[in-house]
Amino acid sequence: MTPLTPGGRRPAAALRAVLSAVAVCLLSCLLAGLLLPRAAGASTSAGRDDDPVPAPAAGAPWFGPTLDWAQDLPADYSRRLGATPSLYSQRVSYPLGAEDTTYLRQFGEQAATQGAVAVLTLEPDEALADLGTDDAADLADALVDLHRAYDSYVLVRFAPEMNGTWTSWGQQPTAYVEAFRTVADAVHEATEHAAMVWSPSYGAGYPFGGSARAVDPSGQVEVDVLDTDGDGTLDEADDPYAPYYPGDDAVDWVGLSLFSFGGTETEPAGPDGVNEVPAAGSFEARLDETWGYADDTSRESFYDRFAAPGDTPVLLDTAALWVPEAGGAGSREVKQDWWRQVLAALPERPLVAALTWLEVERPEDEAGGRTVDWRATVDGLGRPLREDLGAAGVDLGPVTNVLDLETANTASAQGRVLGTDLGNELDWIVLCAVLLAALFLFAGFAGRFLPSWRYPDEHDPRDRRLDLLRGMIIITVVVTHIELSSPYSFVSLKAIGAITGAEMFVLLSGVVLGMIYEPTVRKLGERATAVVMLKRARKQYVVALVVVVLVYLLGRLPLVDASDITTFTDRGTGENGGAVAGQVYDLYANFPRLFDYPPPGYAIRQLLLLEMGPWVFNIMGLFVVLSLLLPALMWLIRRRMWWVVLAVSWAGYVYATIDDPHWLPSQFEAVFPLLIWQVAFTHGLVVGYYRRQITRVLTTRPGKLATAAFVVGYAAVLAWVWWGNAHGGLAPAPLPADSYAWLLENFYIRVFLQPGRLIDLVLVVVVAFAVLTTCWKPIDKAIGWLWIPMGQASLYVFIVHVFFALAVANVPGLDRTGFWQGTLIHTVVVLAIWAMVKRQVLFSVIPR
């Protein structure tokens, strides 16, 4: 790799002056980022496709729960169901206050974690007549923001069950229709990604005069409007729906609340009754508008009146009452019978486009104040519910883009597509292998004919060759994460062949720890050394938490935008390909919930398990876990059971390659799976611990011949395969003609730590140490002053570079494609971090 900073002399007074100027420049950039707004077009956030999400196919409605969001979350629900629902429902007060807006955004975030439609129930907490256009405009703006941020599609149920007396907005048809139309006008004008749902309660029992919570803020019932049969009396003969209908132009969906409260049609269950299986055909009878009415008057069904004429989709809100302490029928008997009745009614009503199930446990007046368990996924019900939903053709699974933390983290594992087709990627790998082979041969020449260049400190416990190599790698990481166009980024993105800085970083960390472990044991003893290493892991963990929190808090400062590192914009080069290019993932989706009182357990858990954090920092979690495993691994290695460590390591690698398990929820698992990436670390430990023995073997004549055969032979095989591919598909005998494409797909895709990357990792290490051993003095003179200090404090550099990435992201007017701007800023950042290392800034706090 070419030097990242020009110059071949150790810094002197002139260089120090230059560095002082550089520091001033960097400080100016930081201040500008804090004091000035970002330039137009510099944001990393991108809007989604402007096409609205269509309604589900006929006969395949969406399904999902209304959760108790203080106790239950989408991840918990989908785990119980064994599948991802296609919608989630939530209630929010209206008009939106500051807390309501936050709550709505958090609801959108949670629904987006599973790509689900958000069913938003707006419950007015002011008189309907007091709801104005400004309130509606604020709601519409919030819905637009939701779609931009999370690709959200929202069904807005404004003041549902308005024909009842148990709501503060109930039985006020004139004010209700006006309020609904005001909201609908604002929503329709602002976005096509939200639909208005008019959703009364099933009409049997209307006008519900005996409701336990009868409320009428005005003190008067609009009998003249509600008396639809003109007999001067508001009674069951009057229409329970039409007076509240806002009009076809305002309504996109219609809905109906249909719940089973037990009992029979003529004898409803009382508040002290026992649990009963719903009467046969009772749900179908409700849809036919025949269940529960005292008279035998023929009525046209809600479906035929409000859905069929305009092919308007229908949202049904339902569940079955079951009281744990009541006795009688069991939970499964009651609930499964009801949901099967619901599902059986769907084929004849293809406009039923969505079903919501009340998935809560709470006291109900209908049960005499006793606690009712409405939930359909507890006590082993999840599996039968999922099976029945599948058999009925209900649509489960994502409707919009999935923005969960795992998807977000996975997206940040980007490959490096170096050209217009995949072939160019392998061309570069082959070229690098050939060049490395040539360097290896030159190192042999230098060792024989230029002995004065040789590394002079072969027996020094502190191997500066290793420090220099680590310095090169960590600078590569810094440049890669500060995404600007420059000659440095050209080199760092392509790295060396199939490898990136990450696997070399992990390997060399293992080598260093393997080297220092035995001397530390001799000094402190094995138990004390293990304690020291575990304390080191603890410090890494605490620093990781601090960095995660600090980045978020800095992003909340006025005019500071942290989205460059707290979100990740898919480049289309990851495992999901170009189809998701431009997709923006929020890596801090649930962090705002930590400011709730009390903060929900899931948000605390995600922070403590490092499930959230800046994407440039996600490998830190891997180092924390590997550091915790270090004492146990070294206990085996010190007892010459290195072969056990490597055997288990490879078994884990193979298992993870086949099964792709994620044992930890931490952010790094999606990008750097523990069972995959540990293979580089464990091999580094063994190499570091036995480095003298390995060096003696490799420097014997047979060892040199074997090493040369590996380096030159590997390069020759790749070149031979490339030659066949580059000449019209000529078969590189004895290999098949399609070997070139097969190798790229199965050995060298950079999103995964495939075998080819591991082979290239060995190749780079072997060649690098050969060259640094025989050509040390000119290399050290040219670049050692920069790379060695950076390598000796590589973990420190990695931690502080996060904040430099944040600072650069806030430089006003920055053109990320500008060659000279990128070159200047990369140079400034690298030299500034080097100056911090030399001055040991915060060395007592930040691990090195």
Side-chain angles (χ1 to χ4, degrees):
M1 176 176 288
T2 57
L4 294 180
T5 307
R9 298 176 182 174
R10 196 170 298 277
L15 181 57
R16 287 194 292 271
V18 172
L19 292 178
S20 298
V22 163
V24 171
C25 179
L26 177 65
L27 182 60
S28 300
C29 291
L30 292 171
L31 291 175
L34 291 172
L35 299 177
L36 296 176
R38 290 173 59 88
S43 175
T44 60
S45 299
R48 310 287 178 256
D49 193 335
D50 287 334
D51 293 335
V53 178
W62 297 325
F63 175 85
T66 300
L67 297 177
D68 178 354
W69 292 78
Q71 306 293 331
D72 212 355
L73 287 174
D76 301 320
Y77 178 83
S78 61
R79 190 177 304 114
R80 297 196 304 270
L81 180 65
T84 301
S86 42
L87 63 80
Y88 284 96
S89 178
Q90 177 59 297
R91 300 174 184 271
V92 175
S93 295
Y94 179 81
L96 301 178
E99 291 185 2
D100 302 314
T101 301
T102 300
Y103 198 44
L104 173 57
R105 185 175 182 86
Q106 292 168 353
F107 171 48
E109 291 172 347
Q110 289 296 325
T113 62
Q114 296 186 3
V117 170
V119 178
L120 174 64
T121 297
L122 294 176
E123 297 187 333
D125 57 9
E126 296 180 7
L128 291 174
D130 294 337
L131 302 177
T133 56
D134 290 343
D135 301 324
D138 291 342
L139 169 68
D141 290 343
L143 297 178
V144 170
D145 291 342
L146 275 186
H147 180 75
R148 287 176 177 170
Y150 307 115
D151 193 30
S152 296
Y153 183 66
V154 184
L155 301 181
V156 182
R157 294 174 73 228
F158 176 76
E161 302 181 4
M162 80 301 299
N163 56 341
T165 57
W166 50 86
T167 65
S168 62
W169 55 89
Q171 296 189 1
Q172 304 167 61
T174 302
Y176 174 79
V177 168
E178 182 178 352
F180 189 102
R181 293 184 63 84
T182 298
V183 173
D185 288 344
V187 171
H188 288 157
E189 182 178 354
T191 178
E192 59 182 350
H193 306 293
M196 294 298 299
V197 184
W198 174 65
S199 184
S201 182
Y202 177 61
Y206 183 79
F208 312 114
S211 171
R213 290 175 287 169
V215 181
D216 178 11
S218 68
Q220 298 178 357
V221 176
E222 299 176 79
V223 175
D224 56 334
V225 178
L226 299 179
D227 180 20
T228 58
D229 64 359
D231 65 357
T233 304
L234 177 58
D235 55 24
E236 190 177 65
D238 292 306
D239 191 331
Y241 307 124
Y244 309 95
Y245 186 61
D248 293 345
D249 59 329
V251 174
D252 304 306
W253 287 51
V254 295
L256 199 60
S257 296
L258 291 169
F259 292 86
S260 170
F261 293 97
T264 65
E265 182 175 9
T266 57
E267 296 183 8
D272 298 320
V274 297
N275 296 304
E276 300 178 16
V277 175
S282 57
F283 184 80
E284 184 86 22
R286 285 173 170 84
L287 291 181
D288 290 336
E289 213 72 32
T290 62
W291 178 269
Y293 287 96
D295 58 42
D296 56 0
T297 303
S298 177
R299 294 173 173 82
E300 188 178 13
S301 73
F302 181 89
Y303 183 93
D304 291 335
R305 292 178 63 188
F306 298 103
D311 289 334
T312 305
V314 180
L315 168 66
L316 298 181
D317 189 26
T318 191
L321 179 145
W322 184 77
V323 181
E325 63 184 74
S331 174
R332 178 165 179 169
E333 294 176 84
V334 172
K335 297 171 185 176
Q336 186 172 46
D337 183 273
W338 183 249
W339 79 56
R340 284 182 171 175
Q341 287 196 39
V342 173
L343 298 176
L346 299 181
E348 295 183 4
R349 296 168 180 83
L351 292 175
V352 175
L355 301 168
T356 59
W357 186 282
L358 185 59
E359 187 77 7
V360 301
E361 186 179 30
R362 67 189 185 193
E364 299 285 3
D365 293 334
E366 291 81 359
R370 293 178 295 177
T371 297
V372 174
D373 189 348
W374 298 96
R375 298 172 296 174
T377 58
V378 297
D379 301 327
L381 292 176
R383 181 173 180 178
L385 174 59
R386 183 184 72 248
E387 292 173 348
D388 287 346
L389 290 171
V394 171
D395 184 12
L396 295 175
V399 174
T400 63
N401 289 321
V402 178
L403 301 180
D404 65 309
L405 287 173
E406 182 176 352
T407 302
N409 297 334
T410 301
S412 66
Q414 299 296 301
R416 312 286 186 220
V417 176
L418 304 179
T420 57
D421 57 64
L422 293 178
N424 288 342
E425 175 83 356
L426 193 52
D427 289 350
W428 175 258
I429 292 170
V430 174
L431 175 62
C432 286
V434 172
L435 291 177
L436 286 170
L439 276 176
F440 182 81
L441 295 176
F442 177 78
F445 171 84
R448 184 175 181 85
F449 297 103
L450 299 169
S452 61
W453 286 10
R454 192 173 183 86
Y455 182 69
D457 304 316
E458 290 281 2
H459 302 292
D460 191 331
R462 183 84 201 201
D463 195 326
R464 290 185 295 149
R465 293 169 298 182
L466 185 61
D467 292 333
L468 189 143
L469 187 56
R470 294 170 71 200
M472 179 190 74
I473 293 301
I474 196 59
I475 292 174
T476 298
V477 171
V478 172
V479 170
T480 300
H481 288 170
I482 298 177
E483 297 178 305
L484 302 170
S485 177
S486 77
Y488 312 136
S489 61
F490 178 82
V491 173
S492 67
L493 287 175
K494 293 188 175 183
I496 300 175
I499 75 163
T500 61
E503 58 265 48
M504 183 68 80
F505 195 21
V506 174
L507 173 70
L508 296 182
S509 295
V511 171
V512 171
L513 290 171
M515 288 172 55
I516 67 172
Y517 204 88
E518 186 61 29
T520 308
V521 169
R522 288 197 296 267
K523 180 179 179 181
L524 302 177
E526 188 170 28
R527 181 183 295 271
T529 299
V531 171
V532 168
M533 294 301 172
L534 290 175
K535 287 182 178 179
R536 179 177 181 272
R538 182 184 63 186
K539 186 174 183 180
Q540 290 177 346
Y541 174 66
V542 171
V543 169
L545 291 177
V546 170
V547 170
V548 170
V549 173
L550 274 179
V551 167
Y552 180 83
L553 294 178
L554 288 172
R556 306 302 294 173
L557 293 176
L559 304 179
V560 176
D561 185 357
S563 62
D564 273 56
I565 59 176
T566 61
T567 66
F568 191 85
T569 303
D570 205 307
R571 280 68 162 157
T573 57
E575 60 180 302
N576 294 319
V580 293
Q583 176 69 64
V584 180
Y585 306 95
D586 186 358
L587 303 177
Y588 277 80
N590 294 319
F591 197 94
R593 298 301 305 273
L594 292 170
F595 298 99
D596 294 351
Y597 183 79
Y602 70 86
I604 297 174
R605 182 178 66 249
Q606 287 181 348
L607 173 64
L608 295 180
L609 294 179
L610 300 178
E611 293 182 58
M612 53 181 76
W615 67 269
V616 297
F617 193 63
N618 51 25
I619 200 174
M620 188 66 182
L622 175 65
F623 280 109
V624 171
V625 175
L626 293 176
S627 296
L628 289 172
L629 296 175
L630 177 64
L633 295 173
M634 292 307 302
W635 187 91
L636 292 170
I637 292 172
R638 291 190 70 246
R639 286 155 180 81
R640 299 185 180 182
M641 287 189 283
W642 56 267
W643 57 273
V644 174
V645 171
L646 297 187
V648 173
S649 175
W650 276 106
Y653 177 87
V654 172
Y655 167 65
T657 301
I658 296 172
D659 195 56
D660 191 29
H662 292 288
W663 287 359
L664 297 173
S666 307
Q667 189 183 90
F668 76 86
E669 268 281 21
V671 187
F672 307 102
L674 176 62
L675 289 183
I676 292 286
W677 283 76
Q678 53 77 29
V679 75
F681 184 75
T682 54
H683 283 67
L685 291 178
V686 173
V687 169
Y689 190 82
Y690 291 106
R691 72 183 183 101
R692 299 192 184 281
Q693 295 92 321
I694 293 173
T695 300
R696 282 198 298 269
V697 171
L698 293 182
T699 53
T700 62
R701 186 175 183 83
K704 292 179 180 178
L705 291 175
T707 304
F710 161 71
V711 173
V712 177
Y714 174 68
V717 169
L718 286 182
W720 176 241
V721 175
W722 170 84
W723 177 265
N725 179 78
H727 289 77
L730 177 67
L735 301 174
D738 61 350
S739 299
Y740 197 74
W742 184 89
L743 280 174
L744 179 59
E745 182 178 352
N746 295 279
F747 260 58
Y748 294 108
I749 294 180
R750 295 191 182 204
V751 177
F752 313 105
L753 192 59
Q754 291 186 319
R757 286 178 67 177
L758 294 176
I759 296 173
D760 263 27
L761 182 59
V762 176
L763 176 71
V764 170
V765 170
V766 168
V767 173
F769 271 87
V771 171
L772 291 175
T773 298
T774 60
C775 305
W776 172 258
K777 289 187 177 179
I779 294 174
D780 178 43
K781 185 177 181 181
I783 204 65
W785 63 273
L786 174 66
W787 286 4
I788 290 176
M790 298 281 271
Q792 291 172 341
S794 58
L795 186 56
Y796 171 93
V797 173
F798 178 73
I799 293 169
V800 301
H801 98 286
V802 174
F803 300 97
F804 281 90
L806 177 60
V808 171
N810 284 273
V811 173
L814 177 63
D815 178 8
R816 289 187 175 274
T817 64
F819 178 84
W820 293 111
Q821 288 187 40
T823 302
L824 173 63
I825 291 178
H826 276 152
T827 303
V828 166
V829 169
V830 170
L831 291 180
I833 295 177
W834 172 83
M836 292 175 65
V837 171
K838 294 293 287 185
R839 294 181 178 274
Q840 300 185 359
V841 177
L842 296 178
F843 266 30
S844 61
V845 176
I846 302 175
R848 299 188 298 280

